[in-house]
Amino acid sequence: MPPKPLEPLAKKLMKGVIALELLAVFGVYGLFHKMNASRDFRNTMSRRFPSVLEVYYQSNEWAGVYGIRERDHEAWSAKQD
């Protein structure tokens, strides 16, 4: 039975969707890793993208890691004084 005319297009689209999802997963992991490693980067994120930083804090709290938000605020307020 010959392949249907849309079958090759559907395969290409699925490969594209999977590739985009993989890029998104690795991008989010890279962002999380950078935010996890650098308080200065988290400070930049708090000024530019506060909602992304809030998701970072919440994901850590859901994972059982508490106190990052408070330590950041203490360090940032001490830096301003």
Side-chain angles (χ1 to χ4, degrees):
M1 179 161 104
K4 296 177 183 172
L6 292 179
E7 194 172 297
L9 178 63
K11 284 184 179 182
K12 286 182 183 179
L13 284 174
M14 274 307 289
K15 287 180 183 179
V17 167
I18 290 171
L20 283 173
E21 286 182 356
L22 283 173
L23 284 172
V25 165
F26 286 119
V28 168
Y29 175 76
L31 180 66
F32 178 83
H33 181 67
K34 191 166 184 176
M35 286 175 43
N36 207 30
S38 172
R39 179 175 285 143
D40 290 333
F41 185 70
R42 288 194 300 269
N43 191 13
T44 301
M45 292 299 288
S46 74
R47 286 184 273 117
R48 292 187 181 169
F49 304 105
S51 60
V52 173
L53 184 64
E54 183 62 28
V55 170
Y56 167 77
Y57 287 142
Q58 286 179 354
S59 66
N60 275 309
E61 289 167 358
W62 289 336
V65 180
Y66 297 99
I68 296 173
R69 181 191 319 253
E70 291 78 15
R71 287 191 301 266
D72 283 349
H73 288 296
E74 287 173 8
W76 297 336
S77 63
K79 205 179 226 186
Q80 289 177 352
D81 292 339

